[in-house]
Amino acid sequence: MSLNEINFALGPEKMLTTLSDRYADRNFLLYRALANKDGYLLVDISGEPTVFESGLNYRVLKEIDETNWDGLLELRYVTLDTDQQKVFNAVVDAWNNKATRPLGLKASKVLKKKKKSFQCSR
């Protein structure tokens, strides 16, 4: 299933399961954080406009293989200048060949925040 957007919500399990129950027609996935036993992440992969107020809304730029959402989900946030983006894209594009992927990586998505984040200037 190819996605155009993915939306996230963070919070306690009870709050996120209540939200999931309220929108039972959505394709939500609930993950528990490894580092914080009380931290949870609700992922909306329905492709529908978000119902979350978290502001964690992302456009899918690239997909490497079909994602099996059962298992470990790792999220990384990076800020790259233009030259770094070229290198990053070349590395990720090379992952289309399974032999060049990091060991254990089955699928990957590159996302971009839909709206600019608030940035503090000093």
Side-chain angles (χ1 to χ4, degrees):
M1 162 178 77
S2 183
L3 293 172
N4 293 321
E5 70 178 67
I6 298 176
N7 302 294
F8 300 98
L10 299 166
E13 181 180 23
K14 184 173 181 167
M15 179 186 80
L16 297 179
T17 55
T18 300
L19 185 61
S20 183
D21 292 343
R22 184 179 308 147
Y23 297 97
D25 60 324
R26 295 294 182 112
N27 196 358
F28 287 150
L29 305 165
L30 183 66
Y31 290 90
R32 184 178 56 84
L34 292 174
N36 173 358
K37 68 178 180 75
D38 297 324
Y40 285 82
L41 172 72
L42 190 61
V43 182
D44 181 356
I45 59 168
S46 69
E48 300 292 325
T50 187
V51 296
F52 300 155
E53 295 180 23
S54 63
L56 300 172
N57 314 104
Y58 297 87
R59 195 167 38 94
V60 178
L61 299 178
K62 293 179 192 234
E63 291 185 280
I64 307 301
D65 269 357
E66 181 97 9
T67 302
N68 176 349
W69 293 94
D70 186 26
L72 183 66
L73 177 68
E74 180 182 358
L75 306 173
R76 292 181 183 226
Y77 178 87
V78 296
T79 302
L80 304 172
D81 65 29
T82 303
D83 290 335
Q84 293 168 328
Q85 288 176 34
K86 290 175 187 172
V87 173
F88 177 83
N89 284 321
V91 169
V92 172
D93 289 344
W95 293 350
N96 281 311
N97 177 349
K98 291 182 181 184
T100 62
R101 288 184 197 159
L103 185 62
L105 180 69
K106 297 192 185 325
S108 184
K109 296 192 182 325
V110 176
L111 310 175
K112 181 175 183 177
K113 192 139 178 65
K114 289 178 84 172
K115 291 184 179 178
K116 295 270 186 199
S117 298
F118 174 78
Q119 293 182 337
C120 223
S121 59
R122 293 181 187 213

